[in-house]
Amino acid sequence: MIIIKTKTDIEKIKDAGKIVNEALLSVEEIVREGVTTEELNALIEKIITSHGATPSFKNYNGFPAASCISPNCVVVHGIPSKKTVLREGDIVSVDVGAYLKGYHADAARTYPVGNISSEAQNLIDVTKECFFRGAQMAVHGNRVGDIGCAVQAYAEENGYGVVRELVGHGVGKNLHESPDIPNFGRAGRGVRLVNGMVIAIEPMINEGCAEVDFSREDGWTVTTRDKKLSAHYENTVAITENGPMILTM
Ligand code: MG
């Protein structure tokens, strides 16, 4: 069931979104060679809880941390660890959700660690642009396939692989609501978008092949099958009479 949000609901999601954005901007400032992904996670948790909010991901289906931190070939759902030390030239995706006064917001960024290759930077840039091309389609009367088609077209034009197994989603009182928002699809197909829907659009774009593997060891970590890089960029977006409204920037 798709839950349509009121303007008040959307304002509350935006309040949670401001916290998510603050956490992401703070992480960006401390990402550097030598930092562990657990240190990034600790900062995120501190910022979220300092606002009286709760990290949406902590204990979600048993996830053990406040955020997902996914370096290099990890696509998403990386578990922060003291053992994972960032190195110059890495890229790292940081996915944050905050729950405040009954509403979630969800967003992700991919950051460079120090100087990175132009290839890695291009992957980050294209993934971000994929989000904006998708978000532009998040208007009343369009369909879910219009978003996916826009994301997929730009990624594939750039020679990248689009992850199929993981998709965006509705956001609200629940972290994951209907409908699914795939990063691929056919224009004009799928669920019709209407004002009041709030969705997380989250391209997960691979440098190489689209295929991914799910970790059997920790039950969470998703990696690219070819072990090439993957980037992630996400915002929570409301579909409104004034067009797409990004709630996590
Ligand atoms: Mg999400």
Side-chain angles (χ1 to χ4, degrees):
M1 185 184 67
I2 295 170
I3 301 163
I4 301 301
K5 278 76 180 178
T6 64
K7 283 182 179 157
T8 311
D9 294 329
I10 291 171
E11 280 308 310
K12 287 181 176 171
I13 297 169
K14 196 174 179 182
D15 288 341
K18 281 180 192 156
I19 299 168
V20 169
N21 187 45
E22 184 186 328
L24 288 167
L25 291 173
S26 302
V27 162
E28 184 175 18
E29 283 178 22
I30 68 158
V31 166
R32 59 181 154 70
E33 157 115 354
V35 167
T36 69
T37 57
E38 174 48 38
E39 288 174 85
L40 303 182
N41 179 68
L43 176 62
I44 290 163
E45 185 157 18
K46 190 176 127 198
I47 289 168
I48 292 172
T49 55
S50 74
H51 289 284
T54 310
S56 302
F57 303 164
K58 198 169 189 179
N59 302 320
Y60 184 87
N61 293 335
F63 189 77
S67 61
C68 298
I69 305 196
S70 307
N72 299 323
C73 71
V74 181
V75 178
V76 287
H77 302 168
I79 301 173
S81 166
K82 288 179 179 135
K83 290 180 192 159
T84 309
V85 183
L86 297 179
R87 295 290 170 219
E88 178 100 8
D90 286 348
I91 65 171
V92 61
S93 300
V94 180
D95 195 348
V96 176
Y99 181 69
L100 180 72
K101 294 175 185 160
Y103 294 84
H104 293 274
D106 187 6
R109 305 283 182 264
T110 300
Y111 297 124
V113 182
N115 288 313
I116 63 171
S117 68
S118 58
E119 290 84 2
Q121 187 62 53
N122 192 61
L123 177 67
I124 292 175
D125 294 344
V126 167
T127 303
K128 182 175 179 179
E129 177 65 17
C130 281
F131 164 81
F132 284 99
R133 294 202 177 200
Q136 249 180 9
M137 306 308 286
V139 295
H140 183 93
N142 274 358
R143 290 178 182 269
V144 163
D146 294 311
I147 297 174
C149 182
V151 171
Q152 180 182 11
Y154 191 66
E156 291 181 352
E157 259 168 48
N158 282 276
Y160 295 141
V162 176
V163 176
R164 303 296 201 277
E165 291 86 344
L166 298 143
V167 296
H169 49 92
V171 188
K173 289 184 174 167
N174 301 293
L175 178 61
H176 294 119
E177 297 183 355
S178 290
D180 283 351
I181 310 291
N183 294 304
F184 55 92
R186 291 174 65 185
R189 299 294 179 93
V191 169
R192 189 177 290 280
L193 303 172
V194 297
N195 290 336
M197 284 171 68
V198 176
I199 55 175
I201 300 173
E202 50 176 318
M204 287 156 262
I205 307 298
N206 296 347
E207 185 182 19
C209 73
E211 286 75 23
V212 299
D213 290 315
F214 292 78
S215 165
R216 288 192 199 135
E217 284 94 67
D218 66 27
W220 285 103
T221 309
V222 182
T223 50
T224 54
R225 182 157 298 166
D226 59 13
K227 298 293 181 275
K228 291 187 177 181
L229 299 177
S230 185
H232 186 199
Y233 191 94
E234 174 183 26
N235 283 298
T236 299
V237 180
I239 296 160
T240 79
E241 58 197 16
N242 299 316
M245 183 195 288
I246 297 177
L247 306 177
T248 44
M249 281 185 92

